[in-house]
Coordinates of all heavy atoms in Angstrom, one line a residue:
Chain A
A192 N 55.2 128.8 118.1 CA 54.7 129.0 119.5 C 53.1 129.0 119.5 O 52.5 129.8 118.8 CB 55.1 130.3 120.0
T193 N 52.5 128.1 120.1 CA 51.0 127.9 120.0 C 50.3 129.1 120.7 O 49.1 129.3 120.5 CB 50.5 126.5 120.6 OG1 51.0 126.4 121.9 CG2 51.1 125.4 119.8
S194 N 51.0 129.8 121.6 CA 50.3 131.0 122.3 C 50.0 132.0 121.2 O 49.2 132.9 121.5 CB 51.3 131.5 123.4 OG 52.4 132.0 122.9
T195 N 50.7 132.0 120.1 CA 50.4 133.0 119.0 C 49.2 132.6 118.2 O 48.8 133.4 117.3 CB 51.7 133.2 118.2 OG1 52.0 132.0 117.5 CG2 52.8 133.6 119.0
L196 N 48.8 131.4 118.3 CA 47.6 131.0 117.4 C 46.3 131.3 118.0 O 46.1 131.2 119.2 CB 47.8 129.5 117.3 CG 49.1 128.9 116.7 CD1 49.0 127.4 116.6 CD2 49.3 129.5 115.3
N197 N 45.4 131.6 117.1 CA 44.0 131.9 117.6 C 43.2 130.5 117.7 O 43.8 129.5 117.3 CB 43.2 132.8 116.8 CG 43.1 132.4 115.3 OD1 43.0 131.1 115.1 ND2 43.0 133.3 114.4
E198 N 42.0 130.6 118.2 CA 41.2 129.4 118.5 C 41.0 128.5 117.2 O 41.1 127.3 117.2 CB 39.9 129.7 119.2 CG 39.3 128.5 119.9 CD 40.2 127.7 120.8 OE1 41.0 128.3 121.6 OE2 40.2 126.5 120.7
A199 N 40.8 129.2 116.1 CA 40.4 128.6 114.8 C 41.7 127.9 114.3 O 41.6 126.7 113.8 CB 40.0 129.6 113.8
E200 N 42.8 128.5 114.5 CA 44.1 127.9 114.1 C 44.4 126.7 114.9 O 44.9 125.7 114.3 CB 45.3 128.9 114.2 CG 45.2 130.0 113.0 CD 46.1 131.1 113.3 OE1 46.3 131.5 114.4 OE2 46.5 131.8 112.3
K201 N 44.2 126.7 116.2 CA 44.3 125.6 117.0 C 43.4 124.4 116.7 O 43.8 123.3 116.7 CB 44.2 125.9 118.5 CG 45.4 126.7 119.1 CD 45.3 126.7 120.5 CE 45.6 128.1 121.0 NZ 45.4 128.4 122.4
T202 N 42.2 124.8 116.4 CA 41.2 123.8 115.9 C 41.6 123.1 114.6 O 41.5 121.9 114.5 CB 39.8 124.5 115.7 OG1 39.3 125.1 116.9 CG2 38.7 123.5 115.2
A203 N 42.2 124.0 113.7 CA 42.7 123.3 112.5 C 43.9 122.4 112.7 O 44.0 121.3 112.1 CB 43.2 124.5 111.5

Side-chain angles (χ1 to χ4, degrees):
Chain A
T193 56
S194 63
T195 63
L196 302 175
N197 61 31
E198 199 48 48
E200 287 167 328
K201 281 192 227 174
T202 302

